[in-house]
Amino acid sequence: MNRSTLRGKPRPAAALLAAAITVTAFCAADAVARSYPFGPRTRAVNDLGNQYVPFHAHLWDLLHGRADGGLLVNWQSGFGSSFLPDLGTYLSSPFALLVALFPRDEIDLAVYVITVLKTACAGAAMAWLLLRLRPGRWWAAGLLGSAYALCGWSLADASYNPMWLDGLVALPLLCLVGEWALCGRRRLLGVLIVALAWIANFYTAYMATLGAGLFLLLRLWLSGLPRRRALAAAGRATATVALGVGLAAPLVTVVYFGTKHAYPGRVTHFAPVATEDVLARLLPTTYGFGSPALFVGTTALLLALALPFHRAAPVRVRAGWSLLVVAVALSMQWTPTHLAWHAFATPNGSPYRQTFVLCALLVIAAWHTLSYGVPARRALAAATALLALAAAAASRSGLVHSYTWPVLLLAVTGALGGLLLLRHTEAVRPAAPTARPGTGEGSEAAGSASAAAEDAAGTGSASAAGEGPAGTGSSPVVGTAVAAGGGGPGGRRRGVLVGLAVVLLVGVQVGEAAATSAAATRLRLDHLDDYAPWGDRQRSQSEAVSEADGWPAHRTDPGREQTVGNDPMVVGGQGAQYYSSLTADVLSRTLTALGDGWTSRGRNLQSLDNAVTDAIFSVGARVHSPPDQHQRWNPRDSTPVTVSRQDVPPLVTVRPAPAPGARTGVSAFGPSPYRNQELLLGTRVYTVPALTVRTADGEQPERAADDRASTVIEVPRTEGSDAKRPRGKAAAAPRPSIAAQCPAGSEVYLWAPHFSGTARLTDTPAPPPTGRFTSDAAKIAAMQRLGTAPASGRVRIELSPTRTGTVPDGAVGCLDTARLRTAVQRLEETGADEVTVSDGTVRAQLPAGSTGTAVLAAPRIAGWRCAADGAETKPAATYYGLVAVPLDGSATSVTCTFHPPGLRLGAAVGGASLLTLVLLGTLTAVRRRRSAHHPALRTAGTTATRPRERTTSAL
């Protein structure tokens, strides 16, 4: 790109440079960390592997017509879950559509590329905004734009929560919308940007909107506009946001109501982190899950710290931006403002999700410093002293590592060297006429009209608020913008010095950002759960599911031994497994009552490998896989993937009508999952025997102190010290046990939701399976099948606990498989003759004369409406947590349709916003047409403006 092109189009050049630096540093960091796709280490940690990759895989299936379900219902997860709220939460970003361009088995690569593109676009958008705010060097805007994109929040938090990156992109765009509102231009485009931001990810868009609002308020104060014009600009901005959010309402309201019907999960309370931890996160290569990742690069940080001491900048500019940065930083540590930032609910997980707003303000403050000329040595010395004080305070934090200091020293040296070189080039160039420094309080503003002309020119050399051309404080910028490669030896020498400064500053930015990202990638693996990318395991499971799939005649469950929290969306099938922030309350409570297990405090439901629940939910095929070998705690197992099949009733069955006044909701379930399963099945099939529980010493254990009727199981104590035992030698000691009497030949199940360890039957002729249980404060274990009762009926279960837990009374269930087969045959005879499923519509043909209740084997989540034959649809009834339709004997078919709560309200709000936007657009067009036909009116209403000062862009 030649210099003439750069002078004419500095904003595109700056945006491209910011994107290039961002991509280079991001990918270099993963190469250094040997992380996917540049090394063997997985990057699919926590929710990235459990949620985002599986949801993008499901989107791929939708876009290619291979998914079971559509935009309304996801039939693959949770036995039928509402998909539109999940779409609005995880997949509504325009970038998500790019998954369609990748092969299905490269879904991890697709998500990685989307993550990199989002981050690069955030840097480009910030670079564009910076040149919109103040004139200056295009490459400096690109450098600071990449500093924003590569901030600590982006690298440490959002890189594995890619939906948050839409907020990182949205913030500078929303600030641009505020700039346009300030000068009364591009109203339609502003509304569309707001709408797109809120559609892409409403959660971070909410935070970005708050940040952009603070940005605009400061810009209004600095502009010096008359009160009436300032209020008009604020009104335009408010109307733009209102219309934009209104256009996004069809999706936003669906997500909002989805959260209202979601399982509550954990209620957390905000506790601010220590000041030394906050200061530590300003430094490179620091990492901490619960602290604000404020790193923006040493160059940007030094420039932001130098702003209060930069005498070339107007006093109001120095005070305004510095005070805003401090105020936002303090608001992150105060509970009321913390709640305001997070939509008045402390999130589960990281409590500083608004950190990217403060990072953006630091970068904008740094740009204001540089745009008024490189700070003098005293200002840089003061900034360096402040950084040294912050580093000294941060040295007491446990988040600072030994390698932080050499990286910081190199970054400070390179940043100061580059800035001093730039300062030297300004000192040796011919002096340009300047105004008195330190004055020009109104320099941030003079005029919106000049900004309009500047926008039309597209050069990016002036400000929306007229910071440069009309104000006295803008003259230093003109001097710094002189082309560095001017004629003569002096010009060439300055060009070499500027080039060296650029290399230093860009090198520092790339180096410390890559080091920070690589450190975060490595440290995340030490304390977050991680998952393998698509490989042989998923390929084998997917092939097995595809061969056994018979939907909707029956479901195919991908298996109990899960790889991630959303296996059905990754490998196919239709199971209970489902993990979302919007997991329905009724689904979680129903499956928990039936003996299912979960993690993430009830929002990550697992597959339940049980013959009775398979019959209830029409699971006719089940995949059996060895434990995931990627997880180090799983036993080593190389057995192949297999599929078991069983006869099950159809998706829609007919049950006897409940007694008048009888409870049929989830609240009707009792404490025993065996009896709850029988309640849904309609037949007694279990024997629940009395238990004899013994400790490893053969004694009767203690009873649990809580309100659960259960017995405490402790880890057996072994003789001698663990330290004296040879490595690899297990202590030969007895273990706790459970004894019970079951009917001979019955299947033995153990339900111990708060037990951790393994359980296995003893004294059986064939080697029984080993049940593995995991529970803690955020997990409960699922019911497990342990094998077949011997001919004597005496069952002994040996327990190997890994931590202290409990076993409830009635933990053992003995299943009579003959009774179960009889119950299944009866349900098949009276069930639907034919069932068709299309996205959110289920139709079933019933035998003539069916009476009682038609039950759809899907959770009764909010939004289901049903009708028998052609009758008027009504909200579906509930049959112990499932969708139900009363029958009077005359109906031969039932139809159930699903519409997510909030969709109609959102459509109404969106329609009203669209109508308002059309009317305003029409009114504006009419006024323009009248003005064109009456030039005298247009001339009379036009105020004279100063010609825009011409500036040039320097290399």
Side-chain angles (χ1 to χ4, degrees):
M1 185 178 291
N2 58 43
R3 290 177 181 173
S4 61
T5 302
L6 295 177
R7 293 189 189 105
K9 297 181 179 180
R11 292 186 198 169
L16 287 174
L17 178 63
I21 294 175
T22 300
V23 172
T24 301
F26 197 102
C27 295
D30 288 329
V32 171
R34 301 185 68 209
S35 176
Y36 179 90
F38 302 102
R41 292 189 175 92
T42 179
R43 68 183 303 270
V45 298
N46 207 13
D47 289 346
L48 178 60
N50 264 332
Q51 291 181 300
Y52 306 127
V53 170
F55 274 110
H56 280 81
H58 187 69
L59 178 63
W60 191 99
D61 291 336
L62 275 174
L63 294 174
H64 290 84
R66 290 173 41 178
D68 294 327
L71 293 177
L72 300 180
V73 178
N74 169 17
W75 287 105
Q76 295 182 241
S77 304
F79 291 136
S81 59
S82 179
F83 182 64
L84 201 55
D86 284 333
L87 178 73
T89 302
Y90 301 104
L91 299 171
S92 52
S93 170
F95 292 93
L97 298 174
L98 295 175
V99 296
L101 304 179
F102 290 80
R104 179 63 165 76
D105 58 358
E106 294 290 352
I107 192 66
D108 297 274
L109 180 62
V111 174
Y112 181 83
V113 171
I114 289 172
T115 302
V116 175
L117 283 177
K118 285 185 180 182
T119 311
C121 287
M126 177 57 75
W128 196 284
L129 171 67
L130 295 180
L131 284 175
R132 181 67 173 78
L133 294 176
R134 290 280 304 162
R137 296 176 171 90
W138 66 269
W139 60 262
L143 178 70
L144 291 178
S146 69
Y148 168 69
L150 297 169
C151 67
W153 179 87
S154 170
L155 299 176
D157 296 334
S159 62
Y160 68 96
N161 292 280
M163 67 179 186
W164 294 355
L165 289 172
D166 292 290
L168 192 74
V169 179
L171 179 56
L173 295 179
L174 293 175
C175 291
L176 276 173
V177 172
E179 289 291 297
W180 297 335
L182 194 60
C183 59
R185 302 188 69 249
R186 297 182 178 175
R187 299 178 185 179
L188 175 60
L189 182 58
V191 171
L192 295 179
I193 288 177
V194 173
L196 188 61
W198 278 73
I199 289 172
N201 185 252
F202 83 98
Y203 185 55
T204 51
Y206 165 80
M207 301 175 190
T209 303
L210 290 183
L214 295 174
F215 168 91
L216 179 60
L217 289 176
L218 178 58
R219 294 283 289 161
L220 287 172
W221 180 70
L222 293 174
S223 69
L225 291 174
R227 178 177 298 181
R228 178 174 295 181
R229 290 182 61 189
L231 290 176
R236 287 193 297 269
T238 302
T240 299
V241 171
L243 288 174
V245 175
L247 289 179
L251 201 59
V252 173
T253 55
V254 167
V255 176
Y256 172 79
F257 281 98
T259 61
K260 294 301 180 182
H261 293 286
Y263 189 76
R266 178 178 61 175
V267 177
T268 58
H269 301 282
F270 174 67
V273 299
T275 302
E276 56 264 28
D277 288 344
V278 175
L279 294 176
R281 298 309 303 276
L282 286 166
L283 308 181
T285 71
T286 58
Y287 177 77
F289 180 74
S291 56
L294 294 171
F295 167 79
V296 289
T298 303
T299 302
L301 183 59
L302 283 173
L303 289 171
L305 293 175
L307 180 59
F309 312 101
H310 191 21
R311 298 178 63 85
V315 173
R316 290 180 65 164
V317 172
R318 287 185 276 162
W321 289 107
S322 300
L323 289 176
L324 182 59
V325 168
V326 172
V328 172
L330 293 176
S331 74
M332 297 170 63
Q333 294 287 84
W334 188 39
T335 299
T337 46
H338 158 84
L339 292 173
W341 279 113
H342 293 91
F344 303 97
T346 297
N348 293 323
S350 172
Y352 291 98
R353 301 182 181 183
Q354 81 281 36
T355 304
F356 71 100
V357 176
L358 181 54
C359 293
L361 294 177
L362 283 170
V363 168
I364 293 173
W367 174 250
H368 277 80
T369 301
L370 194 58
S371 68
Y372 284 100
V374 178
R377 293 178 182 269
R378 289 184 179 180
L380 288 177
T384 306
L386 287 178
L387 179 57
L389 288 175
S395 64
R396 301 193 302 268
S397 171
L399 306 180
V400 177
H401 304 278
S402 58
Y403 47 78
T404 298
W405 303 114
V407 174
L408 177 62
L409 180 61
L410 288 173
V412 171
T413 303
L416 287 176
L419 292 175
L420 290 174
L421 279 175
L422 284 180
R423 179 72 184 177
H424 179 70
T425 62
E426 293 180 7
V428 300
R429 63 167 170 77
T434 62
R436 289 177 300 153
T439 62
E441 283 80 355
S443 67
E444 285 278 330
S448 304
S450 65
E454 169 259 317
D455 261 355
T459 61
S461 302
S463 163
E467 287 181 15
T472 59
S474 62
S475 297
V477 179
V478 179
T480 63
V482 173
R492 285 192 295 271
R493 181 171 178 270
R494 286 195 301 273
V496 171
L497 292 177
V498 170
L500 181 59
V502 173
V503 170
L504 273 176
L505 295 176
V506 172
V508 166
Q509 179 66 42
V510 172
E512 63 177 336
T516 301
S517 180
T521 299
R522 295 290 295 272
L523 292 172
R524 274 198 300 266
L525 291 173
D526 293 336
H527 76 275
L528 293 179
D529 51 311
D530 60 272
Y531 307 90
W534 180 280
D536 292 338
R537 176 181 174 85
Q538 292 91 332
R539 188 175 297 107
S540 298
Q541 291 174 327
S542 180
E543 291 172 355
V545 168
S546 179
E547 292 176 2
D549 193 21
W551 175 259
H554 66 79
R555 287 185 167 104
T556 300
D557 194 303
R560 167 79 193 139
E561 291 291 348
Q562 67 183 47
T563 306
V564 297
N566 278 301
D567 275 350
M569 285 191 274
V570 177
V571 300
Q574 311 84 26
Q577 197 186 55
Y578 179 47
Y579 180 26
S580 168
S581 300
L582 304 172
T583 300
D585 179 80
V586 64
L587 172 65
S588 186
R589 295 188 186 278
T590 299
L591 292 182
T592 302
L594 298 178
D596 197 12
W598 42 252
T599 62
S600 300
R601 300 185 181 272
R603 292 189 173 182
N604 187 347
L605 298 169
Q606 301 171 353
S607 173
L608 181 56
D609 190 355
N610 178 274
V612 178
T613 54
D614 281 353
I616 292 170
F617 290 101
S618 190
V619 179
R622 177 173 290 277
V623 176
H624 302 275
S625 305
D628 184 9
Q629 301 300 287
H630 176 78
Q631 307 300 344
R632 295 183 298 273
W633 55 81
N634 280 338
R636 301 300 94 183
D637 190 342
S638 59
T639 56
V641 174
T642 60
V643 178
S644 62
R645 302 172 187 267
Q646 53 275 343
D647 290 333
V648 292
L651 204 62
V652 177
T653 55
V654 178
R655 314 296 182 89
R663 293 184 304 162
T664 58
V666 178
S667 61
F669 285 128
S672 171
Y674 303 111
R675 299 306 179 215
N676 294 336
Q677 290 180 14
E678 292 171 341
L679 195 62
L680 264 175
L681 184 66
T683 304
R684 180 63 61 92
V685 293
Y686 281 108
T687 297
V688 183
L691 305 181
T692 302
V693 184
R694 290 292 180 261
T695 66
D697 298 328
E699 299 177 356
Q700 185 173 350
E702 298 178 357
R703 300 289 293 176
D706 55 23
D707 57 354
R708 294 191 295 260
S710 55
T711 302
V712 176
I713 302 295
E714 296 182 341
V715 179
R717 296 181 180 179
T718 59
E719 295 183 1
S721 170
D722 289 343
K724 297 178 181 179
R725 188 186 312 141
R727 180 173 296 181
K729 298 283 188 179
R735 295 169 178 167
S737 63
I738 301 173
Q741 187 71 32
C742 285
S746 59
E747 288 190 350
V748 180
Y749 286 86
L750 177 63
W751 171 64
H754 302 287
F755 170 73
S756 286
T758 60
R760 62 187 299 271
L761 286 178
T762 61
D763 304 326
T764 57
T770 299
R772 293 184 294 113
F773 297 77
T774 303
S775 68
D776 57 27
K779 306 182 184 75
I780 65 171
M783 180 187 295
Q784 299 272 353
R785 179 182 177 274
L786 299 183
T788 304
S792 65
R794 290 191 294 271
V795 172
R796 183 178 181 275
I797 302 172
E798 187 178 75
L799 305 176
S800 299
T802 56
R803 57 184 296 174
T804 300
T806 61
V807 171
D809 298 345
V812 175
C814 311
L815 174 63
D816 188 327
T817 55
R819 288 185 180 179
L820 176 60
R821 284 193 297 269
T822 302
V824 168
Q825 290 172 1
R826 184 169 59 251
L827 290 174
E828 287 179 325
E829 293 170 357
T830 60
D833 297 324
E834 181 184 3
V835 179
T836 58
V837 179
S838 176
D839 193 5
T841 302
V842 178
R843 293 182 177 87
Q845 297 295 324
L846 304 178
S850 297
T851 59
T853 303
V855 177
L856 170 63
R860 175 48 177 100
I861 56 179
W864 278 109
R865 298 179 66 87
C866 297
D869 281 343
E872 181 183 359
T873 60
K874 297 179 181 180
T878 180
Y879 186 83
Y880 305 109
L882 305 186
V883 178
V885 187
L887 302 175
D888 59 6
S890 62
T892 59
S893 67
V894 293
T895 301
C896 293
T897 58
F898 180 80
H899 294 281
L903 183 58
R904 290 183 175 87
L905 174 62
V909 174
S913 299
L914 180 61
L915 179 61
T916 303
L917 192 61
V918 170
L919 291 176
L920 290 176
T922 303
L923 182 60
T924 302
V926 169
R927 287 179 175 176
R928 287 179 179 174
R929 187 172 181 180
R930 289 181 177 177
S931 178
H933 284 80
H934 300 280
L937 296 177
R938 184 173 71 253
T939 304
T942 303
T943 58
T945 60
R946 300 185 184 187
R948 183 169 58 86
E949 181 178 3
R950 183 178 181 274
T951 60
T952 57
S953 183
L955 295 179

